[in-house]
């Protein structure tokens, strides 16, 4: 293996040396110390989401999508119906999961450059009494846009619907309060803003709704209720737990506390984002989103209009210099993405911008503008 590169991605992302080192031992999945760690992790997650004792935290093996699928496949009853408010690929993925599972599902679709509209979602809920559950994505990682989960939660609660939030890329990096935001199920994973390594996801779940979901599961391994019961009964996972990833996560949680908690981490990510915007702006890059919709988690940049710009080459040259960025996921625009989360600091952002400047020069691209200067009608004629 070559040297470690810096990951400017939405996960897996750059982790600290101490998080990586915490994995250098083997633990038994039934070992008392390990079970103590699992139980402490569950308590910490509840505290991070500002949950009260009407919630429980359930850990689920697999990547984040497995945790999303475990929620959708377990808690929606046979006679239930899901509405997904969609403004990007991760919202579409939730609707896709429901469809495969045979769960009646409707998508309410918004432009990828605008947040989900609470007003329109509330109207859709009011119009269709069959809808029992509403789902959306907090930070839609396709673009980095933030959706108004507090408003949506209030609307869902007022209309008596259960609210599911994919907070995968925001939990731990943006303060969130499941109680006051009326979030019944919040889903995230180990390798995003808590800065652990991949291996499992987790769900903050409203206890009485989980209890009620008996007999609804459409999967054995992803049965969230059975997983919760297993963890409650003897502290263990039902099937082999990702022991090393859990050790890393326990260390990552300690480091989040040492940093000063979610507020401090959010401030560092915001400083990262500011450094990135400053540097990329100076190079002429344009963002996909308007600045007031842009989160500090990840940013989509439009491809330069320059005829010599080629993303695979740009990506490859940056990677050779030790900087890993991310391809785009916007439907109707050519973009690439740069994440500002993980064990990264403003000086890392400046180093990345320096590398991008060097790569552009190497590709003989003198301007990274994505749109034509006023008065020009053709690109580089
Ligand atoms: C990362 C992410 C996921 C999960 O992706 P996995 O590859 O399954 O870990 C889901 N939703 C959002 C918004 C994400 O950012």
């Amino acid at each position: 293996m070559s040297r470690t590169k810096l990951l400017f991605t939405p996960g897996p992302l750059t982790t600290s040396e101490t998080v990586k080192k915490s994995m250098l031992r083997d633990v038994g999945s039934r070992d008392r110390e390990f079970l103590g760690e699992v139980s402490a992790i569950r308590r910490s997650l509840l505290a991070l989401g500002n949950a009260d004792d009407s919630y429980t935290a359930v850990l689920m093996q697999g990547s984040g999508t497995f945790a999303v699928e475990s929620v959708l496949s377990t808690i929606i009853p046979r006679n239930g119906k899901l509405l997904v408010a969609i403004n990007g690929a991760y919202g579409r993925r939730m609707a896709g999961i429901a469809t495969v599972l045979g769960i009646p599902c409707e998508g309410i679709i918004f432009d990828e450059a605008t947040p989900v509209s609470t007003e329109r979602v509330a109207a859709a809920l009011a119009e269709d009494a069959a809808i029992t559950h509403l789902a959306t994505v907090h930070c839609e990682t396709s673009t980095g846009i933030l959706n108004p989960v507090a408003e949506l939660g209030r609307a869902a609660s007022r209309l008596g619907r259960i609210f599911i939030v994919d907070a995968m890329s925001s939990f731990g990096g943006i303060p969130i309060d499941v109680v006051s935001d009326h979030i019944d199920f919040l889903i995230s994973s180990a390798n995003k803003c808590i800065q652990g390594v991949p291996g499992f996801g987790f769900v903050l779940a409203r206890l009485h709704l989980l209890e009620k979901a008996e007999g609804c599961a459409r999967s054995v391994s992803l049965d969230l209720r059975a997983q919760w019961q297993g963890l409650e009964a003897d502290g263990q996972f039902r099937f082999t737990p990702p022991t090393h990833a859990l050790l890393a996560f326990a260390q990552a949680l300690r480091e989040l506390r040492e940093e000063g908690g979610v507020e401090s981490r959010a401030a560092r990510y915001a400083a990262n984002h500011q450094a990135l915007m400053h540097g990329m702006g100076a190079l002429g890059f344009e963002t996909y989103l308007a600045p007031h919709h842009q989160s500090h988690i990840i940013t989509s940049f439009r491809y330069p209009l320059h005829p010599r710009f080629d993303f695979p080459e740009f990506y490859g040259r940056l990677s050779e210099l030790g900087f890993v960025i991310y391809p785009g996921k916007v439907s109707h625009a050519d973009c690439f993405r740069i994440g500002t989360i993980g064990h990264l600091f403003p000086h890392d952002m400046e180093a990345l911008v320096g590398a991008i400047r060097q790569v552009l020069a190497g590709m003989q691209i003198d301007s990274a503008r994505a749109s034509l200067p006023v008065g020009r009608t053709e690109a580089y004629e």
Side-chain angles (χ1 to χ4, degrees):
M1 271 290 273
S2 54
R3 74 199 160 90
T4 302
K5 297 174 180 181
L6 292 179
L7 306 182
F8 297 83
T9 60
L13 30 78
T14 302
T15 56
S16 68
E17 283 305 306
T18 34
V19 162
K20 285 188 267 287
K21 283 197 178 122
S22 66
M23 291 184 284
L24 293 178
R25 65 196 175 105
D26 303 312
V27 285
S29 61
R30 285 150 201 262
D31 175 80
R32 185 196 291 270
E33 184 211 342
F34 174 70
L35 296 184
E37 287 282 26
V38 169
S39 149
I41 286 171
R42 293 178 65 206
R43 282 195 303 276
S44 300
L45 290 174
L46 289 168
L48 285 179
N50 294 295
D52 58 22
D53 39 353
S54 69
Y55 287 82
T56 186
V58 188
L59 312 178
M60 180 60 78
Q61 297 95 324
S63 85
T65 305
F66 292 57
V68 173
E69 188 151 348
S70 80
V71 169
L72 298 182
S73 64
T74 303
I75 61 136
I76 302 176
R78 300 287 154 176
N79 57 358
K81 180 174 178 184
L82 175 68
L83 178 71
V84 188
I86 298 171
N87 60 343
Y90 295 92
R92 279 197 297 278
R93 186 180 294 176
M94 285 203 279
I97 290 170
T99 304
V100 167
L101 292 169
I103 295 168
C105 172
E106 246 173 70
I108 175 165
I109 297 174
F110 299 88
D111 188 276
E112 292 180 16
T114 59
V116 162
S117 149
T118 305
E119 204 178 317
R120 280 187 53 203
V121 169
L125 291 176
E127 210 165 87
D128 187 351
I131 296 169
T132 49
H133 293 68
L134 168 68
T136 199
V137 179
H138 184 207
C139 173
E140 193 22 284
T141 320
S142 329
T143 56
I145 204 166
L146 275 184
N147 284 320
V149 290
E151 267 181 32
L152 288 162
R154 268 195 298 280
S157 158
R158 179 166 46 81
L159 295 161
R161 315 305 167 87
I162 293 159
F163 188 35
I164 302 164
V165 175
D166 171 349
M168 207 71 68
S169 61
S170 58
F171 190 75
I174 297 176
I176 196 157
D177 186 316
V178 290
V179 178
S180 65
D181 294 351
H182 302 279
I183 300 172
D184 297 304
F185 294 89
L186 176 143
I187 308 151
S188 186
S189 79
N191 60 279
K192 303 247 176 171
C193 295
I194 296 174
Q195 298 182 181
V197 304
F200 65 96
F202 52 85
V203 182
L204 305 188
R206 191 87 78 171
L207 255 176
H208 78 273
L209 294 173
L210 199 53
E211 277 164 0
K212 229 173 64 179
E214 182 156 23
C216 294
R218 293 153 180 90
S219 160
V220 171
S221 56
L222 294 177
D223 184 338
L224 189 72
R225 189 177 185 280
Q227 186 86 342
W228 163 67
Q229 286 188 311
L231 286 166
E232 290 294 313
D234 55 12
Q236 294 178 16
F237 284 68
R238 290 173 303 151
F239 311 118
T240 303
T243 44
H244 297 85
L246 285 154
L247 291 176
F249 196 68
Q251 175 62 23
L253 284 168
R254 281 191 279 280
E255 293 178 15
L256 176 55
R257 273 193 294 278
E258 283 160 16
E259 188 170 349
V262 176
E263 306 270 347
S264 307
R265 180 151 297 179
R268 170 164 63 85
Y269 289 168
N272 285 351
H273 180 251
Q274 209 173 359
L276 177 71
M277 295 308 287
H278 179 76
M280 293 295 276
L283 292 176
F285 281 97
E286 294 168 23
T287 57
Y288 174 72
L289 290 178
H292 59 286
H293 292 324
Q294 179 67 58
S295 69
H296 57 241
I297 300 292
I298 191 165
T299 306
S300 277
F301 292 95
R302 291 182 185 274
Y303 281 5
L305 193 62
H306 200 285
R308 274 193 292 273
F309 183 79
D310 172 66
F311 181 72
E313 186 183 347
F314 180 69
Y315 177 96
R317 286 179 182 234
L318 274 174
S319 177
E320 266 167 38
L321 294 174
F323 299 88
V324 177
I325 62 167
Y326 218 58
K329 217 172 182 141
V330 179
S331 311
H332 305 293
D334 283 330
C335 293
F336 62 87
R337 291 179 286 174
I338 296 181
T340 32
I341 57 177
H343 190 69
L344 295 172
F345 300 84
H347 65 85
D348 296 310
M349 299 295 143
E350 285 154 20
L352 169 68
V353 170
I356 290 176
R357 184 181 296 113
Q358 186 184 333
V359 165
L360 289 176
M363 292 171 76
Q364 295 176 288
I365 294 172
D366 52 357
S367 163
R369 294 185 66 104
S371 53
L372 290 172
V374 180
R376 290 271 292 276
T377 52
E378 221 180 292
Y380 302 94
E381 63 264 78

